[in-house]
Amino acid sequence: MSGVLYTREILRLAVSIPNQRRLDKPDGTAELRSRTCGSKVTADVMLGDDGALRDIGLEISACALGQASAATLGAQAIGRTAADISAVRDNLAAFLDGEGETPGPWPNMDNLAAARDHKGRHAAILLPYDAMIAACADAAAKRKAA
C-alpha cells in the first residue's frame, strides 16, 4: 500500500515545501492538528490591503502526503485570497471524496490522486489548506477588532 501512496513525485514534493518558516509578525496565525493521524500544521499569514496573501509561513509536522499538499499550497498561495484557497481546498476535498474529476487547478495537485482511495489520509492532505484558511480568518478578525 505505501508503494502506491508514496510515489517519487509525492516524496519529491514532501522535501520541497516553500515558505517553511514562521513569520516574525504575522497578521494571522493558526495551528491545526489532525485527529485521525496526528499531523500538525501551523500557518502564518501577512495580508495586503486587498485581502490577498502577501507572505506566508508554514511549519509542518505531517506524513509525506501532508507535506506534499503543503508544498503545493505553499507554492501557489501568495497573491491569493482566503476565498481562493477555500475554493481550491473544497475542490480537492470533493475529488478525494470521489465527487470531482481532478484534484485541482494548481501544478502538482494531480500527484495527490494516489491517496483518493485511502480515506484515512484525506485529513492530512487537507490540513495545510484548513490551517491557511484559519490563519486568514484570524487576520481578518484582528483587522476588524482594530
Side-chain angles (χ1 to χ4, degrees):
M1 181 160 90
S2 64
V4 172
L5 277 176
Y6 296 107
T7 64
R8 181 184 318 253
E9 293 80 14
I10 289 291
L11 296 174
R12 179 185 54 78
L13 285 168
V15 297
S16 64
I17 302 169
N19 303 300
Q20 193 169 4
R21 69 196 189 293
R22 297 295 308 270
L23 300 181
D24 290 332
K25 294 181 181 179
D27 294 332
T29 298
E31 180 180 292
L32 298 180
R33 183 179 298 271
S34 170
R35 288 182 230 153
T36 57
C37 66
S39 294
K40 183 176 86 167
V41 175
T42 304
D44 295 327
V45 298
M46 297 290 293
L47 301 179
D49 292 337
D50 61 354
L53 291 158
R54 270 188 325 148
D55 198 6
I56 64 169
L58 294 168
E59 189 171 81
I60 311 295
S61 177
C63 66
L65 288 166
Q67 290 175 33
S69 182
T72 301
L73 173 63
Q76 298 295 319
I78 294 176
R80 315 278 181 170
T81 65
D84 297 333
I85 304 294
S86 186
V88 171
R89 183 252 183 242
D90 291 349
N91 183 88
L92 178 57
F95 172 80
L96 291 171
D97 285 341
E99 298 169 11
E101 292 187 29
T102 66
W106 293 343
N108 296 312
M109 291 189 86
D110 57 325
N111 292 312
L112 300 171
R116 190 174 195 178
D117 294 332
H118 302 273
K119 291 197 181 290
R121 306 300 180 146
H122 296 182
I125 292 168
L126 297 173
L127 193 64
Y129 292 86
D130 293 336
M132 185 72 59
I133 293 163
C136 289
D138 181 53
K142 287 177 180 174
R143 280 190 176 181
K144 188 175 180 179

